[in-house]
Amino acid sequence: LHDTVEDTDLTFEQVEGMFGLEVRNIVEGETKVSKLPKLAFADYADEQAENLRQMFIAMTDDYRIIIVKLADRLHNMRTLRFMKPEKQKKISRETLDIFAPLAHRMGIWQVKSELEDISFMYLYPDEYKKVNSILNRRRNKIVDTLDHSVKVLKETLRNDPTLRSQDVEIEVVGRTKEIYSLWHKMEMKHDRNLDHIADLVALRVILTPGDSIVKATQSADSGVWLCYHVLGLVQH
């Protein structure tokens, strides 16, 4: 529904009548913030991009509005191949400077990474191909390293007496550094040697405290000490 009022004769009142006030507010809020990127100048200075991101958040009473906007932008990026080249670059620049950082701020890592990689592909096609080619040549080694590391860490956490005595669910996942993030780090270091990138692969441990821990501490931070405990196990 996010574009219906702008693109058709449908009114916000009709949206409310069919779907309720809550949906109307989200649609109306998305319509309002969708005009913000058009306020930007041709070149997206860092300060201006940050101002726009702040305006998005300040004008939004319901964070679901930003999530709808991010989902809309992600869909646009996935279909960008049908646009003219100059339009592809303009939208990609806007996405990289405004929407990917917004997704990062919202903690939606998967959306942030995909927005960055697609934008990178259109803005710097040659660099994208080079980095992607390097990663593809090493993909088997990377996958083997991740699989082995996940297995070792899972075993370590599973056998730890402290964790075994707690009501906590443990999940270990591995990831490879995204193409844009990898390129950006190489540019910052002025080093194109992939062997010098320390966090090409990484592991993430997610701890979900059970009801007994939450009730005992009565705190949203009830699992923090467990996180530090796991960090200690990793470091040692």
Side-chain angles (χ1 to χ4, degrees):
L1 295 171
H2 65 285
D3 281 338
T4 52
V5 176
E6 281 190 295
D7 297 345
T8 71
D9 294 330
L10 194 71
T11 65
F12 291 122
E13 289 74 18
Q14 289 173 315
V15 171
E16 181 179 349
M18 289 185 283
F19 301 100
L21 179 60
E22 191 172 16
V23 172
R24 178 216 167 123
N25 289 338
I26 294 174
V27 174
E28 194 167 5
E30 200 281 334
T31 302
K32 180 172 62 175
V33 300
S34 67
K35 296 179 173 60
L36 283 179
K38 299 172 187 176
L39 301 174
F41 306 116
D43 55 332
Y44 282 79
D46 289 343
E47 184 178 355
Q48 183 192 16
E50 175 60 22
N51 288 340
L52 283 168
R53 292 193 292 268
Q54 294 286 1
M55 287 173 68
F56 260 101
I57 294 173
M59 291 176 65
T60 304
D61 297 325
D62 187 336
Y63 280 104
R64 290 176 297 180
I65 294 169
I66 295 180
I67 293 174
V68 170
K69 187 63 186 173
L70 289 173
D72 181 42
R73 177 52 59 123
L74 182 59
H75 175 262
N76 290 342
M77 294 302 292
R78 287 173 175 174
T79 57
L80 205 58
R81 63 186 180 277
F82 301 112
M83 297 279 190
K84 293 181 179 180
E86 60 270 19
K87 193 76 170 177
Q88 291 174 342
K89 289 185 180 296
K90 179 181 181 298
I91 294 174
S92 295
R93 184 78 264 166
E94 184 180 88
T95 299
L96 199 57
D97 288 346
I98 298 173
F99 292 99
L102 264 180
H104 177 69
R105 189 168 296 180
M106 295 287 290
I108 313 175
W109 191 263
Q110 186 174 351
V111 173
K112 175 249 186 193
S113 299
E114 189 172 350
L115 289 176
E116 285 181 338
D117 284 353
I118 298 176
S119 299
F120 179 44
M121 181 175 65
Y122 286 106
L123 289 171
Y124 307 99
D126 293 337
E127 289 87 343
Y128 178 90
K129 289 175 183 176
K130 289 177 184 176
V131 176
N132 196 36
S133 176
I134 293 172
L135 280 177
N136 283 333
R137 288 199 300 269
R138 299 186 176 215
R139 194 162 301 280
N140 289 338
K141 181 180 179 182
I142 291 171
V143 171
D144 289 343
T145 299
L146 273 178
D147 288 345
H148 176 70
S149 300
V150 169
K151 181 179 179 181
V152 170
L153 185 54
K154 277 184 175 179
E155 190 68 21
T156 299
L157 299 179
R158 189 181 300 118
N159 293 329
D160 178 70
T162 300
L163 290 176
R164 290 176 66 178
S165 67
Q166 298 298 313
D167 177 19
V168 60
E169 181 182 337
I170 303 172
E171 180 184 3
V172 180
V173 293
R175 67 106 176 115
T176 306
K177 201 170 189 66
E178 294 78 14
I179 295 176
Y180 171 75
S181 180
L182 181 60
W183 172 79
H184 187 263
K185 175 159 281 193
M186 290 192 294
E187 288 293 303
M188 295 291 289
K189 292 168 67 76
H190 303 290
D191 188 350
R192 295 300 182 94
N193 189 339
L194 210 60
D195 292 328
H196 296 165
I197 303 299
D199 58 342
L200 178 59
V201 297
L203 298 181
R204 179 175 294 151
V205 180
I206 302 172
L207 303 178
T208 305
D211 291 339
S212 62
I213 293 181
V214 175
K215 289 177 181 177
T217 59
Q218 292 296 313
S219 168
D221 298 327
S222 56
V224 171
W225 74 271
L226 283 172
C227 293
Y228 280 107
H229 178 74
V230 170
L231 185 60
L233 294 175
V234 171
Q235 291 174 335
H236 290 85

